[in-house]
C-alpha cells in the first residue's frame, strides 16, 4: 500500500440541517381568547359591573335609579419582523439549501413572541377607559406570596395552587365553565413533582402525571413555558401566572406572514426570507388573573 494514499483522504459533511434547541412556537396561545383587529388600537370587550338589588321600604315609593359601573378594555398593536438573507454566492458553496429551515426558525420565533406578549400583559399594566387612557395594574391583593404557607420563600407548591384557585373562586370566576390555566417553567414543574399530593394516587382519582408531566391538578391545566418573567417588586421571585381563559386576550392585527423573495438591490441577488406580524395582548379582567410568586 502506498504511503501516499493519505492524499486521497476525504471529509464528509452533513446533508441535514438541525435547528438548535428552542421553544417551537407558542405554548400559550391556545389558552387565551383571541381575535382579529384593524386600526391603531382596539377594544375587544365593553364591560358592565355587577348591580345590587334595592330594598322597597314603603308602598308606592318613587322609583330610583341604579347605575352599573362600565369600563372598556383596550389592546394596542406592536409590529415585529425577522429578515434573514441567504447569499447566492454562499449557496454555490453549500451541499444543502437552508432556505426552508430559515423560514421554520422564524415561525418558531414568532410563536415565542406571542407568548412574551401574553405574559407581559398578564403581569403588567393594561389600558382601560373610554379611549384607553387609563392605566390599570394587576390586583396586588390577588398575588400569592412567595412564602405562602411557610416561613421561608418557596417554589411552586400545592398550597400555593390551592390559594390561587381560592382567589379566583372568591372573585366569582365560574370554574365549571371557564378553563383555569397555570404556567410553569422547568424548575416550577420540578417543584410540583416533589409534592406528594400530586404524584400519589392516594390523593387523586386518576393520574395527574402524563408521561412524567403534570398536566392537570385541582381542576387547573398546567402549561409549560420557559419564558416566565420576574416580579417587578421582588426581582428574586418569578411570576407563575394563573388565569381563567376568559380573562386574557391576544389581539392579532396581522398573523405571522412569510415571504421569500430575491433582493435585487444587493450584490449577488441574495434570497431573503422575511416574516412579519402585528399583535398585542391584555388582561380582560384583573379578577380573573392571579400571580403566584415563586422562588426559582
Amino acid at each position: 500500500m502506498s504511503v501516499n494514499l493519505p492524499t486521497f483522504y476525504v471529509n464528509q459533511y452533513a446533508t441535514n440541517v438541525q435547528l438548535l434547541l428552542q421553544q417551537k412556537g407558542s405554548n400559550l396561545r391556545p389558552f387565551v381568547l383571541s381575535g382579529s383587529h384593524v386600526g391603531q388600537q382596539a377594544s375587544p370587550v365593553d364591560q358592565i359591573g355587577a348591580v345590587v338589588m334595592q330594598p322597597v321600604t314603603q308602598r308606592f315609593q318613587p322609583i330610583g335609579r341604579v347605575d352599573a359601573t362600565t369600563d372598556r378594555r383596550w389592546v394596542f398593536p406592536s409590529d415585529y419582523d425577522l429578515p434573514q438573507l441567504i447569499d447566492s454566492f454562499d449557496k454555490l458553496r453549500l451541499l444543502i439549501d437552508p432556505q426552508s429551515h430559515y423560514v421554520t426558525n422564524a415561525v418558531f420565533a414568532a410563536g415565542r413572541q406571542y407568548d412574551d406578549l401574553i405574559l407581559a400583559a398578564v403581569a403588567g399594566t393594561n389600558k382601560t377607559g373610554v379611549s384607553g387612557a387609563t392605566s390599570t395594574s394587576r390586583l396586588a391583593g390577588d398575588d400569592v406570596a412567595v412564602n405562602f404557607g411557610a416561613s421561608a420563600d418557596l417554589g411552586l407548591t400545592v398550597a400555593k395552587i390551592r390559594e390561587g384557585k381560592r382567589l379566583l373562586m372568591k372573585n366569582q370566576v365560574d370554574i365549571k365553565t371557564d378553563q383555569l390555566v397555570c404556567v410553569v417553567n422547568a424548575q416550577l414543574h420540578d417543584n410540583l413533582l416533589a409534592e406528594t399530593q400530586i404524584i400519589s394516587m392516594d390523593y387523586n382519582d386518576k393520574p395527574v402525571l402524563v408521561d412524567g408531566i403534570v398536566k392537570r391538578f385541582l381542576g387547573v391545566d398546567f402549561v409549560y413555558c420557559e419564558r416566565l418573567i420576574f416580579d417587578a417588586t421582588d426581582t428574586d421571585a418569578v411570576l407563575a401566572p394563573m388565569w381563567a381563559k376568559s380573562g386574557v386576550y391576544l389581539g392579532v392585527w396581522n398573523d405571522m406572514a412569510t415571504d421569500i423573495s430575491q433582493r435585487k438591490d444587493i450584490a449577488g441577488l441574495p434570497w431573503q426570507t422575511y416574516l412579519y406580524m402585528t399583535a398585542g395582548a391584555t388582561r380582560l379582567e384583573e379578577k380573573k388573573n392571579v400571580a403566584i410568586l415563586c422562588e426559582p
Side-chain angles (χ1 to χ4, degrees):
M1 184 175 292
S2 171
V3 296
N4 296 321
L5 277 180
T7 304
F8 301 137
Y9 283 1
V10 299
N11 294 320
Q12 184 176 8
Y13 297 96
T15 57
N16 295 317
V17 175
Q18 184 179 61
L19 298 178
L20 294 178
L21 288 173
Q22 58 185 290
Q23 179 181 308
K24 297 179 179 179
S26 174
N27 291 349
L28 306 183
R29 190 171 179 178
F31 298 94
V32 302
L33 300 183
S34 184
S36 300
H37 302 286
V38 295
Q40 65 178 358
Q41 62 189 72
S43 173
V45 64
D46 288 334
Q47 301 167 323
I48 300 177
V51 293
V52 178
M53 292 297 294
Q54 304 298 303
V56 177
T57 58
Q58 63 186 31
R59 298 179 67 222
F60 307 119
Q61 74 180 39
I63 296 177
R65 188 185 78 227
V66 175
D67 296 319
T69 59
T70 59
D71 206 350
R72 177 173 289 163
R73 190 66 51 153
W74 291 91
V75 61
F76 291 79
S78 296
D79 304 316
Y80 303 91
D81 73 351
L82 183 54
Q84 301 176 92
L85 289 176
I86 304 173
D87 198 308
S88 298
F89 294 126
D90 290 339
K91 290 179 68 174
L92 297 174
R93 295 166 171 80
L94 297 175
L95 292 174
I96 55 175
D97 185 350
Q99 188 167 282
S100 63
H101 301 284
Y102 275 49
V103 174
T104 301
N105 215 21
V107 170
F108 289 164
R112 293 192 297 271
Q113 187 61 57
Y114 284 134
D115 284 3
D116 289 345
L117 288 170
I118 292 169
L119 291 172
V122 169
T125 299
N126 295 176
K127 297 298 184 179
T128 60
V130 175
S131 59
T134 302
S135 296
T136 302
S137 302
R138 75 173 194 266
L139 299 176
D142 283 345
D143 286 355
V144 179
V146 68
N147 61 349
F148 181 84
S151 58
D153 293 350
L154 298 174
L156 189 58
T157 64
V158 169
K160 289 184 178 182
I161 296 168
R162 287 176 53 191
E163 177 64 7
K165 184 174 181 179
R166 184 192 72 81
L167 290 170
L168 293 175
M169 293 177 66
K170 179 177 72 71
N171 290 340
Q172 301 292 300
V173 171
D174 187 353
I175 62 173
K176 293 181 292 185
T177 61
D178 212 345
Q179 182 183 17
L180 302 185
V181 179
C182 183
V183 186
V184 298
N185 60 17
Q187 181 58 55
L188 301 186
H189 180 268
D190 191 65
N191 294 157
L192 295 180
L193 293 180
E195 295 284 292
T196 303
Q197 291 171 269
I198 287 182
I199 63 176
S200 174
M201 285 297 294
D202 293 338
Y203 297 93
N204 302 284
D205 57 355
K206 58 182 179 180
V208 173
L209 299 179
V210 178
D211 295 330
I213 303 297
V214 180
K215 293 291 187 181
R216 184 174 173 86
F217 180 69
L218 287 178
V220 179
D221 291 319
F222 290 88
V223 185
Y224 167 73
C225 182
E226 283 294 332
R227 309 183 74 81
L228 295 181
I229 60 179
F230 286 86
D231 181 35
T233 60
D234 184 352
T235 54
D236 291 330
V238 69
L239 288 175
M242 180 185 290
W243 66 68
K245 183 174 181 178
S246 65
V248 183
Y249 185 83
L250 177 68
V252 179
W253 274 251
N254 183 65
D255 211 339
M256 59 180 80
T258 58
D259 175 78
I260 300 176
S261 58
Q262 197 167 23
R263 293 287 299 271
K264 303 293 187 179
D265 60 323
I266 299 178
L269 305 180
W271 288 90
Q272 177 178 268
T273 65
Y274 187 69
L275 185 145
Y276 58 100
M277 56 179 279
T278 301
T282 183
R283 293 184 302 271
L284 288 181
E285 192 171 346
E286 277 63 49
K287 290 186 177 182
K288 292 183 179 181
N289 289 264
V290 171
I292 303 176
L293 278 65
C294 301
E295 183 73 20

